[in-house]
Amino acid sequence: AAGLSSPEQSTVLMVLTTFVVAPVVCSCLVSLLYSLYLFVAYEESGIHHAQEFENRFWTIFAMLLSTALIFASDSPVAIGLTNPAVGLLAIVLSGYFMHLWDRYQHRKAMTRQLSLRRNQSGNQSLLRLKDLGIPVEDQLDRINECLKEIDQLLIPSTINNFINQRFVLSKEREIITIFEECDPRAVNYLISRVKLGLLFYKIKDHRNFNGKHRTELINMLAVERLSILTVMSRVILLHSLQLLKLRANPQAENWVRNIILNTHQDDLSELKTLTDSKGDYFCMPKLIFDDIQSEAVRQDILRHIRREATVQQTHIQMGTKRWRSQMHMQWRKVLSDVDDTLYCSGGMYPAGVDKRFARKTVYPGVLAFYRELDLGIEGPEEWHDDRVGNLVFLSARPHVYKDMSEKANYAKFEKLRARGDDGRKGLHTMPSLLAGDLASGSSFIATNDFEPLAQKKYDNFRRFVSIYPEFQHVFVCDNGQGDVRAGEMMFDGFPYEFEGLYVHIVTGIAKTYGFDPSRWHKKEFRPFFFRAYPEAALHAATRYPPLIRLEGLYRICTDSVKDFEQIKQFPSEAVKAERRAELNQSVWKANLFLAQHGSKTVELIKAEQKWADGERVRTPFGIAIVCGFNPDFDLYDVELDWRPLDVQAKSIDTAKTKPKAGVRKGKTLETVHEIDEGDDDHATGRKGTQEVGESTAENQEDDTPYYPFVESRSSPSRQEDVEDNGPQEINEPEEAIIDSFHSPIRAQVGGSSITKLTAPVLPKIDKRSSKKFSFFPPPQAEKYPIPIGEECNTPYGVAKVLDYRKTNEVVAVEMVGWSAKAYLQRSALKPVNKGLLGSIFQRLSLPEPVEKKADFPFAEGTKISTPFGSGKLKKPIVSPKKKRQDTAKRQQADHGYRTVSISLDSWKLADGSSPLLYCTPETAKMWKERKGEPSIFSLSTLESLMTSSRNILLDPFLTQKEAPPVVPKVKRYFEQAAAVSTEFGSGVVRSFRPDDGFYEVSLVGWKLANGSHPTAYLRKDDMRTLMATGCQEGYPVLTKLGVSGTLASVEPTTGIHIVTVPSSRMVCYLQPDCIVGPLKAAVGEDVSTAFGEGKVMYYDQENDTYRIKLNGWNALLYAKSDTFERLGEGIEDRDGPFGVKWLLSFLFFPSESSITTRSRSNSLVSGSQSNRSVS
């Protein structure tokens, strides 16, 4: 506990104390908490396959918890020990209450109303059915009555089905009969009005009574009568199956497959979009990649989606009639981050870093930007409520058990959809949410590495694109975390589907994770960085092709201004002014573009006038008087008062003390206001301030722009103002003449640069030091004698006396510790304390004296600290004072260049000598003048101090010892013969110097003229592990041994590629050059083809052909890599740091650290050996 903080230590001590006091009950609680963790973390386990299983778990958990609390001998509530009957009753009641609570929560989730705006047409369909004479309302009432009789609130369904067997079977049969016999036009109405999810859950498959009613009902709707169902009814049917849990019925995945495969083209796109717009986490990606377990069913659905998307894209390219009928859709998905993109995180870790707004503040204009991107340039001019949106949020917040984390986000989205105080609409549609996972989140928190977050967002995007291949995708994010890196991976992986990246600047652009302009330029990746959303909208409207309309740009700017005005809380007034100026700047740029195209412009945000006209204020240019105010740019027109300080102080004092003469009774000037004593400096006392302000306002009516810097220009005199403005109503007294100053210097200053006026303070002279008149001379102080050659204290440190001029009492001194001379008055010198303590403190406070040498760069041996280590000047420039004997020979040797040589003493070559560094004198001088790190205490200083004090006191006791040499050691990372990649090409590590951390690398990628490989000396940061070309960890590769396998991992310190061969159960340890290249699938792996699933039997490298044996029928298929898919890529590995297998391996199997690893390259290990040797 020594490394823990005080709160952590208190928590540990409290837990240990609790275990000491109550070991039995604490052990039971820890065991129950561990089982709860396994239940929540491992959602793929069989206990989550049906709601009934989860309900039984919670019931048993509550009973076990109550048993531990009631019957444990050391429990504080052990009532079962004294009264067992009461204890047993309490256990049964706790389990029953937990059972009822879980049923209530599940029923509440199943009966929740979906956020589908197209349900508004239900009343019209009801009227049409009534006109046709179809008794649809009676049928709906009968279904609800039967469901109410089956669903008993206080009795579990299992017990109710056992007790009332015939009654339950008859009611379930009645519901099925209604759906079978109703008119086809009434089926869609019944599905949209009935609680279909609860209906599927309550109707059971009674295996003991030969009544599989649930399977019969769902099969009738999803197969037999599917053709008459509308898109909306199919969405509700899929949602009900997700609520039921697909794993609860073995045919559920086939029902989902049948629904999707029988929906085509535009209806399929609408089905997918509506499924993602319901306002819960039961979305299309979850349905396909999480709920469906069969890889064959998943691939059938994805293949059908790609085929239908190809047909849609063909219609768009050919401009057919069907495409023209769908021009109201933009076919664009708008993806966005949440924190620091939708609303400000307030710098709350780990959500984000932006502190420019208050926490949870929605950025001005972001909702309008989403709406206009979704609206696009096709179709209607404005967004209608009956339209389905295409907004998706990519969040790094991890997914936790069920929808615990997603529920909070969807609640915020629902609030954003509500109308504001001014009647404007909020979020235009209910978005979908793709959350992160605990593995990437925990890795980021533990290592502060954004790569796992970026990779997870890219994986979510890859899944999303496979579901929506017919759409284009725009990603709006921020540069605070790994979003830009994720956007780059999206661009690399899907260049045709990825339409643009907009990056909200919340930190420095250069600090963006993955920021590399040169790499982006080569691949033509152009993210747009912006600070305010009107700026992003301007780019979206002016790019080619444009993403939004000109009217959309105007609406975004208008909503941005209104959103800013509705923000009620800012971190400070200064921050508010900065954000207002920032938003006004972007709106002003957009107005220029709108005006050029004949569109109306948006009015800028008005600033509030904080300083009244005529008020004295302090500016960066001095004291000034406010004469005018521009609310658009928050600029004040001021007159600068550059008079002497005594005149200004006298003017302010006169304004404080003089009476308010000249003011008519009952009338006051607008610039005169009541102030307190602490605010007296605001009272200017100027008569006629009102007139000056008015004349200033008139002067500002011209087209002169406002700039926040001093503008010197002539101003009309005071007399001219009086003549122009006519006779004044207020007469100035004689006392006010001092304060009637009118400055000819005008300036326009930003409001954030103006502060409250504080009266200028004049310098005070101490009159007590000398009298004005005295008959006696002042007493002479005892003067300090000036011994030549001795040390003394000066205001600049300790110095040595060189000379003394008695005539003017000036002393010439040379500073100790630094090269300088000073000429000081005698009174400025003080004696140096010669005591032992004074000598100690004096020497500790002074730097080491340096030996005086010739001026750089003419002095040989000058110490210089270079980027390559410290050294001494070996070959200086010849001094101009020194005669050159052979000028021609020296110029020929120098080749016309002036260079100096520096011997790097900090590291040695192989022969023991120090390397020489040649550079220009200017570069050496720059290194020489670079300030080094100051040292607080030097061992040599203490040694010098003790040596000088030896004759005084410490000579009998002091024995001088030499300090042991400090040898720098650098830990080695790359092993011998490791394959690495450098800026100069691939290489092999030959040796390592632990003194300075340099590696000797042989660059095997290229040769010199003599046929040898060049050698480079590099540090660890200049190298990285060499990866075989085109290969990635976890994907199949082909080796030079003639076998194919999966590249399991690459050893970072040696560069060894570990390849597992499933066909022969071998593990290969190979160098990178032994890997031929990547494959689509290795021999022995399962693949999915157009003719079904199969296994790869052979790979023909010459023809790039795979021989696949199809499962189920004896046939061989010869296929190319683009005609089949490798199975297993879409299955997410949940055995990460928060899975269960790692814990079982930790408890029951040996750890990897105890297994001997192989470092030998190009070797094989048979899988038939023990696990210890395989690894």
Side-chain angles (χ1 to χ4, degrees):
L4 302 177
S5 59
S6 297
E8 293 175 347
Q9 291 180 0
S10 301
T11 304
V12 172
L13 292 176
M14 184 179 298
V15 172
L16 294 177
T17 305
T18 307
F19 266 91
V20 172
V21 175
V24 177
V25 69
C26 290
S27 301
C28 296
L29 293 178
V30 169
S31 301
L32 291 174
L33 289 177
Y34 174 70
S35 63
L36 181 62
Y37 161 75
L38 296 179
F39 174 80
V40 173
Y42 199 56
E43 291 189 70
E44 284 76 15
S45 61
I47 200 172
H48 294 280
H49 287 180
Q51 177 60 29
E52 292 87 349
F53 301 160
E54 294 183 353
N55 184 268
R56 293 165 189 169
F57 170 81
W58 288 113
T59 304
I60 297 173
F61 180 83
M63 296 180 68
L64 292 177
L65 178 61
S66 59
T67 301
L69 295 176
I70 294 174
F71 283 95
S73 58
D74 52 3
S75 174
V77 290
I79 59 176
L81 298 178
T82 58
N83 196 339
V86 176
L88 291 175
L89 179 61
I91 293 173
V92 174
L93 291 178
S94 62
Y96 180 68
F97 287 143
M98 176 59 72
H99 171 80
L100 294 180
W101 178 82
D102 183 69
R103 290 185 62 196
Y104 168 76
Q105 294 294 331
H106 186 60
R107 184 184 290 104
K108 182 179 178 182
M110 286 189 167
T111 57
R112 190 184 67 88
Q113 186 67 26
L114 299 180
S115 300
L116 296 174
R117 295 187 177 182
R118 295 199 171 187
N119 289 338
Q120 298 175 356
S121 60
N123 296 330
Q124 299 178 359
S125 62
L126 177 61
L127 295 176
R128 290 195 297 268
L129 292 174
K130 286 184 176 181
D131 294 340
L132 296 174
I134 301 175
V136 64
E137 287 185 323
D138 297 338
Q139 295 173 348
L140 180 62
D141 293 339
R142 289 173 54 193
I143 293 176
N144 291 331
E145 290 178 0
C146 294
L147 179 61
K148 185 177 180 181
E149 293 176 354
I150 295 174
D151 184 20
Q152 299 292 330
L153 297 179
L154 301 179
I155 303 177
S157 300
T158 304
I159 299 177
N160 185 38
N161 294 337
F162 181 78
I163 297 176
N164 302 319
Q165 171 187 346
R166 294 185 178 181
F167 178 78
V168 171
L169 291 176
S170 62
K171 293 299 179 181
E172 291 178 353
R173 172 54 58 187
E174 184 177 355
I175 294 175
I176 296 175
T177 303
I178 294 174
F179 278 101
E180 286 179 345
E181 297 178 353
C182 68
D183 189 272
R185 291 166 292 186
V187 175
N188 294 298
Y189 180 83
L190 293 177
I191 292 178
S192 62
R193 297 299 174 179
V194 77
K195 301 174 183 178
L196 194 61
L198 184 62
L199 190 66
F200 286 170
Y201 177 66
K202 289 301 176 181
I203 297 180
K204 308 292 183 179
D205 282 339
H206 305 278
R207 298 177 177 85
N208 297 331
F209 311 114
N210 297 324
K212 295 186 177 182
H213 290 164
R214 176 188 291 174
T215 301
E216 183 179 354
L217 176 61
I218 300 178
N219 189 75
M220 178 185 59
L221 295 177
V223 179
E224 297 175 3
R225 312 200 72 176
L226 180 64
S227 59
I228 63 175
L229 297 185
T230 61
V231 175
M232 182 66 66
S233 299
R234 299 184 185 195
V235 171
I236 298 174
L237 186 58
L238 288 176
H239 179 72
S240 303
L241 290 175
Q242 284 186 281
L243 288 175
L244 182 63
K245 293 182 181 293
L246 300 186
R247 304 172 192 175
N249 194 299
Q251 301 184 27
E253 294 185 0
N254 293 326
W255 292 330
V256 173
R257 176 183 178 275
N258 187 72
I259 294 173
I260 297 178
L261 264 60
N262 285 278
T263 309
H264 304 280
Q265 299 180 21
D266 296 342
D267 290 340
L268 180 59
S269 300
E270 186 178 5
L271 172 72
K272 296 181 294 184
T273 304
L274 285 173
T275 303
D276 287 342
S277 302
K278 301 190 303 291
D280 53 22
Y281 87 119
F282 293 105
C283 56
M284 208 69 184
K286 181 181 183 300
L287 174 64
I288 295 179
F289 292 100
D290 293 337
D291 296 341
I292 295 178
Q293 298 298 304
S294 174
E295 187 66 24
V297 174
R298 181 184 297 109
Q299 293 301 329
D300 288 345
I301 295 175
L302 295 177
R303 192 180 302 109
H304 172 72
I305 291 175
R306 289 194 296 268
R307 183 168 54 250
E308 298 300 319
T310 304
V311 176
Q312 290 175 289
Q313 293 173 357
T314 304
H315 283 290
I316 294 176
Q317 294 174 0
M318 299 180 62
T320 60
K321 182 178 180 181
R322 176 176 296 181
W323 174 78
R324 288 192 294 269
S325 64
Q326 295 293 333
M327 287 184 62
H328 65 279
M329 294 183 61
Q330 184 57 43
W331 301 98
R332 176 187 298 131
K333 291 290 182 179
V334 182
L335 292 87
S336 173
D337 186 31
V338 180
D339 295 304
D340 285 350
T341 304
L342 173 61
Y343 50 74
C344 182
S345 65
M348 185 68 65
Y349 181 84
V353 298
D354 192 10
K355 299 181 181 179
R356 300 179 302 160
F357 290 88
R359 189 167 178 261
K360 301 301 180 183
T361 300
V362 179
Y363 289 107
V366 60
L367 301 182
F369 187 61
Y370 292 155
R371 182 187 66 239
E372 296 302 328
L373 283 178
D374 200 351
L375 189 61
I377 59 175
E378 303 288 346
E381 293 288 338
E382 294 184 357
W383 189 269
H384 300 290
D385 292 340
D386 58 346
R387 184 170 177 176
V388 183
N390 297 281
L391 180 60
V392 182
F393 284 104
L394 285 174
S395 177
R397 298 189 177 187
H399 164 76
V400 189
Y401 175 65
K402 290 188 176 180
D403 60 344
M404 292 178 60
S405 61
E406 291 89 344
K407 188 183 299 182
N409 285 320
Y410 279 112
K412 297 175 184 177
F413 299 154
E414 189 65 35
K415 291 181 180 179
L416 290 177
R417 292 184 63 191
R419 294 181 179 270
D421 298 337
D422 55 355
R424 294 183 298 116
K425 299 178 183 178
L427 199 60
H428 68 286
T429 185
M430 175 56 71
S432 179
L433 178 66
L434 302 179
D437 57 5
L438 290 174
S440 60
S442 60
S443 177
F444 161 65
I445 294 177
T447 63
N448 201 26
D449 185 11
F450 295 121
E451 189 66 24
L453 300 181
Q455 185 64 43
K456 179 58 182 177
K457 288 192 176 184
Y458 172 71
D459 292 340
N460 287 337
F461 177 78
R462 181 168 55 87
R463 289 182 169 188
F464 191 78
V465 171
S466 64
I467 299 175
Y468 294 95
E470 70 272 22
F471 284 83
Q472 296 291 312
H473 303 80
V474 175
F475 186 31
V476 185
C477 62
D478 63 271
N479 68 333
Q481 294 182 347
D483 293 344
V484 178
R485 173 61 181 154
E488 182 181 2
M489 290 190 287
M490 297 175 189
F491 175 81
D492 295 339
F494 303 92
Y496 299 103
E497 292 83 359
F498 192 74
E499 197 170 11
L501 177 65
Y502 287 89
V503 185
H504 186 211
I505 301 176
V506 296
T507 185
I509 297 180
K511 298 180 181 179
T512 304
Y513 179 76
F515 181 74
D516 192 347
S518 60
R519 184 178 72 245
W520 295 351
H521 179 72
K522 292 179 182 178
K523 63 176 66 174
E524 298 183 356
F525 174 60
R526 300 183 182 92
F528 181 75
F529 291 83
F530 65 94
R531 296 189 180 275
Y533 279 91
E535 186 179 356
L538 178 61
H539 178 270
T542 56
R543 58 167 282 175
Y544 182 81
L547 301 181
I548 63 175
R549 295 185 177 93
L550 189 66
E551 295 79 5
L553 174 61
Y554 173 79
R555 288 191 290 265
I556 293 174
C557 294
T558 303
D559 287 355
S560 299
V561 173
K562 293 180 179 180
D563 292 345
F564 184 87
E565 293 174 348
Q566 287 188 348
I567 299 177
K568 300 178 181 179
Q569 183 181 3
F570 283 90
S572 64
E573 289 296 329
V575 173
K576 181 179 180 181
E578 293 176 0
R579 300 288 79 76
R580 179 178 58 247
E582 187 177 82
L583 186 58
N584 278 342
Q585 181 72 12
S586 60
V587 174
W588 176 76
K589 292 180 181 179
N591 283 339
L592 294 179
F593 179 76
L594 292 172
Q596 291 177 359
H597 292 78
S599 178
K600 54 184 178 179
T601 58
V602 181
E603 185 178 0
L604 302 181
I605 305 173
K606 302 293 183 181
E608 298 179 0
Q609 185 173 359
K610 184 178 179 181
W611 312 102
D613 293 345
E615 187 175 2
R616 287 180 179 269
V617 293
R618 183 172 295 277
T619 70
F621 315 110
I623 299 176
I625 302 172
V626 178
C627 300
F629 177 68
N630 186 349
D632 291 337
F633 299 96
D634 192 19
L635 290 179
Y636 288 84
D637 188 9
V638 298
E639 290 183 355
L640 297 176
D641 189 355
W642 283 357
R643 294 177 295 173
L645 288 180
D646 56 344
V647 178
Q648 297 186 34
K650 186 175 181 181
S651 174
I652 295 177
D653 293 340
T654 304
K656 292 180 180 179
T657 57
K658 68 181 180 181
K660 298 180 180 180
V663 182
R664 292 186 180 182
K665 187 175 182 180
K667 293 186 64 178
T668 58
L669 292 176
E670 295 181 4
T671 56
V672 178
H673 57 278
E674 185 177 355
I675 56 178
D676 53 9
E677 296 179 357
D679 198 25
D680 289 342
D681 46 18
H682 279 284
T684 62
R686 297 174 65 249
K687 307 303 178 182
T689 304
Q690 179 69 24
E691 294 84 336
V692 175
E694 292 176 357
S695 62
T696 304
E698 294 175 0
N699 294 334
Q700 294 302 323
E701 291 179 358
D702 56 6
D703 296 333
T704 305
Y706 283 81
Y707 300 100
F709 52 81
V710 176
E711 179 184 3
S712 177
R713 60 185 182 184
S714 60
S715 177
S717 63
R718 179 68 176 167
Q719 184 65 27
E720 292 174 350
D721 286 343
V722 174
E723 293 177 359
D724 294 339
N725 297 330
Q728 305 297 313
E729 297 181 357
I730 302 175
N731 298 323
E732 297 183 359
E734 295 179 0
E735 294 83 353
I737 296 178
I738 298 178
D739 198 35
S740 60
F741 173 75
H742 189 70
S743 174
I745 303 176
R746 307 288 291 274
Q748 293 173 344
V749 186
S752 59
S753 302
I754 298 178
T755 58
K756 180 181 177 181
L757 175 63
T758 56
V761 180
L762 299 178
K764 296 182 180 180
I765 301 176
D766 189 5
K767 300 181 179 180
R768 297 176 298 176
S769 60
S770 62
K771 299 181 180 180
K772 293 183 179 180
F773 176 77
S774 177
F775 290 100
F776 305 98
Q780 296 293 334
E782 183 179 357
K783 295 184 178 180
Y784 164 65
I786 305 299
I788 305 300
E790 292 292 332
E791 294 183 352
C792 59
N793 286 325
T794 69
Y796 309 101
V798 179
K800 185 178 181 181
V801 178
L802 299 178
D803 189 15
Y804 174 59
R805 304 173 185 174
K806 294 183 179 181
T807 57
N808 51 8
E809 294 188 348
V810 174
V811 182
V813 297
E814 182 181 11
M815 307 307 300
V816 176
W818 53 294
S819 180
K821 291 183 179 180
Y823 296 88
L824 307 174
Q825 291 290 337
R826 179 177 178 176
S827 59
L829 274 63
K830 295 181 180 180
V832 176
N833 188 4
K834 295 298 183 178
L836 176 61
L837 294 179
S839 177
I840 291 176
F841 292 135
Q842 172 189 339
R843 289 187 174 272
L844 287 177
S845 61
L846 291 177
E848 295 184 14
V850 295
E851 182 181 358
K852 186 176 180 181
K853 298 181 179 180
D855 295 337
F856 176 82
F858 309 110
E860 183 176 356
T862 304
K863 293 183 179 180
I864 301 176
S865 178
T866 72
F868 308 96
S870 60
K872 295 181 180 180
L873 194 61
K874 186 75 173 179
K875 178 186 174 184
I877 298 178
V878 179
S879 175
K881 298 180 181 179
K882 186 177 180 181
K883 296 182 179 180
R884 301 181 180 179
Q885 300 294 337
D886 194 354
T887 306
K889 184 183 295 185
R890 184 175 181 85
Q891 289 179 355
Q892 183 179 1
D894 292 343
H895 301 284
Y897 294 97
R898 299 178 62 199
T899 59
V900 296
S901 170
I902 302 174
S903 176
L904 301 178
D905 299 335
S906 59
W907 51 296
K908 303 293 183 180
L909 298 179
D911 57 357
S913 62
S914 300
L916 295 179
L917 174 65
Y918 292 89
C919 63
T920 61
E922 292 77 9
T923 304
K925 185 177 181 181
M926 179 186 66
W927 292 340
K928 180 69 172 62
E929 295 176 351
R930 184 178 299 170
K931 186 176 181 181
E933 297 181 359
S935 59
I936 300 176
F937 188 84
S938 176
L939 187 60
S940 61
T941 303
L942 181 59
E943 180 182 352
S944 176
L945 168 63
M946 293 183 175
T947 304
S948 63
S949 304
R950 182 184 310 164
N951 297 329
I952 302 175
L953 185 61
L954 304 178
D955 187 66
F957 308 97
L958 182 62
T959 56
Q960 183 176 356
K961 298 181 180 180
E962 296 183 359
V966 179
V967 180
K969 295 293 183 180
V970 181
K971 186 177 180 181
R972 181 167 187 167
Y973 182 77
F974 292 104
E975 300 295 337
Q976 193 76 9
V980 295
S981 176
T982 69
E983 296 292 338
F984 311 101
S986 59
V988 178
V989 175
R990 297 304 183 190
S991 63
F992 173 72
R993 295 204 303 261
D995 294 341
D996 50 14
F998 274 88
Y999 292 85
E1000 180 184 353
V1001 181
S1002 178
L1003 302 177
V1004 298
W1006 51 295
K1007 294 183 178 181
L1008 299 178
N1010 57 3
S1012 62
H1013 298 290
T1015 302
Y1017 294 90
L1018 305 172
R1019 293 184 183 270
K1020 173 190 172 184
D1021 297 338
D1022 301 326
M1023 301 181 294
R1024 60 182 180 273
T1025 305
L1026 181 63
M1027 176 79 73
T1029 305
C1031 299
Q1032 297 183 13
E1033 293 183 349
Y1035 288 87
V1037 294
L1038 179 64
T1039 67
K1040 289 186 177 180
L1041 303 177
V1043 296
S1044 60
T1046 302
L1047 180 59
S1049 63
V1050 178
E1051 174 61 33
T1053 59
T1054 61
I1056 299 300
H1057 288 50
I1058 303 176
V1059 180
T1060 60
V1061 183
S1063 59
S1064 57
R1065 299 187 61 189
M1066 293 192 307
V1067 179
C1068 305
Y1069 298 82
L1070 306 174
Q1071 289 286 354
D1073 55 356
C1074 295
I1075 306 295
V1076 178
L1079 292 178
K1080 187 64 174 293
V1083 175
E1085 290 186 336
D1086 296 330
V1087 295
S1088 177
T1089 69
F1091 304 94
E1093 296 183 0
K1095 180 177 293 186
V1096 178
M1097 305 302 297
Y1098 178 73
Y1099 171 70
D1100 186 359
Q1101 182 181 359
E1102 182 178 357
N1103 299 321
D1104 191 20
T1105 305
Y1106 295 81
R1107 184 192 302 169
I1108 303 173
K1109 183 178 181 180
L1110 300 177
N1111 299 336
W1113 48 306
N1114 191 14
L1116 291 177
L1117 175 66
Y1118 295 86
K1120 293 289 186 179
S1121 59
D1122 56 348
T1123 59
F1124 64 89
E1125 296 293 336
R1126 176 172 173 251
L1127 296 180
E1129 292 184 358
I1131 300 178
E1132 183 179 2
D1133 183 15
R1134 296 303 301 271
D1135 295 328
F1138 286 88
V1140 176
K1141 290 186 178 180
W1142 71 270
L1143 188 57
L1144 298 178
S1145 301
F1146 176 77
L1147 294 176
F1148 305 107
F1149 300 101
S1151 61
E1152 294 182 357
S1153 60
S1154 62
I1155 299 176
T1156 305
T1157 58
R1158 296 178 60 95
S1159 60
R1160 192 181 218 174
S1161 60
N1162 297 336
S1163 61
L1164 304 178
V1165 176
S1166 175
S1168 60
Q1169 300 178 13
S1170 64
N1171 293 334
R1172 190 174 300 273
S1173 62
V1174 169
S1175 299

